[in-house]
Structure formats: C-alpha cells, structure tokens
Amino acid sequence: MTVPAPPPEIPRQESLIEYPSQFPIKVMGEKVDGLVHAISVIAGQFDPAFDASTIELRESKGGKYLGVTVTITATSREQLDELYRTLSTHPMVKVVL
C-alpha cells in the first residue's frame, strides 16, 4: 500500500504591507475604566517602542462605546496576526479593525 504524497505547500502570498511600517489598529469596546490602559499594555507587548501618547480616542454618539486607535510599528505578518488575536480575545474588547 502506498501512502499518498502530502499536498504541495501553498506559496505565501505577497504582503501588501511593507515591513517595518507604522500600522494603525482600531479597537472598540464599551467605555469602561481600564479599557485604554489594557489596549496600551497589549500594544506595548507587541511593539516595545509603542508610544501611548499617540493613542486616538473616539466616543460613540451615545457615549456607551469607545474607539481606541493605536499605531504600532509592524514588523511581520505574524506579529500583526498575533496582536489581532490577543486584542480580539480580551474581555473588554468588542471589535478589532
């Protein structure tokens, strides 16, 4: 009995992002104490040079939600994927764009 050969690896698609680059990420959650700090800490874990003074905030019309834009230095697709995963699974975060 012959074992079939594994499928050929799919070549990695060319990235549309040139690394390293400044990369904004918008995170939305309910406007609660600690949201901005939590997002800032996570951003700093993925970009040691992250500057929290560059954070941009935008409240929803009703004031219940807060949009937090952090700009990090993106160094790889893997870094961005893991950052999105970490932010998306945080209990205070509703959406990551």
Side-chain angles (χ1 to χ4, degrees):
M1 178 174 178
T2 59
V3 176
E9 282 193 36
I10 298 171
R12 191 173 184 185
Q13 290 183 350
E14 291 279 327
S15 176
L16 299 177
I17 301 169
E18 190 173 311
Y19 299 104
S21 67
Q22 294 299 297
F23 193 85
I25 299 172
K26 183 175 238 179
V27 184
M28 290 181 268
E30 287 189 31
K31 186 179 174 187
V32 295
D33 288 341
L35 174 66
V36 176
H37 177 72
I39 293 168
S40 179
V41 168
I42 292 170
Q45 291 172 344
F46 288 88
D47 176 9
F50 172 69
D51 181 0
S53 71
T54 64
I55 292 175
E56 297 174 30
L57 304 176
R58 185 171 178 180
E59 275 188 44
S60 64
K61 285 185 181 184
K64 182 176 179 178
Y65 296 96
L66 185 64
V68 181
T69 302
V70 294
T71 301
I72 60 125
T73 300
T75 57
S76 70
R77 174 67 187 257
E78 293 77 16
Q79 173 209 29
L80 288 175
D81 287 348
E82 192 57 34
L83 175 55
Y84 273 87
R85 236 184 319 277
T86 302
L87 286 168
S88 297
T89 58
H90 192 281
M92 290 183 177
V93 173
K94 300 291 183 200
V95 178
V96 180
L97 304 172

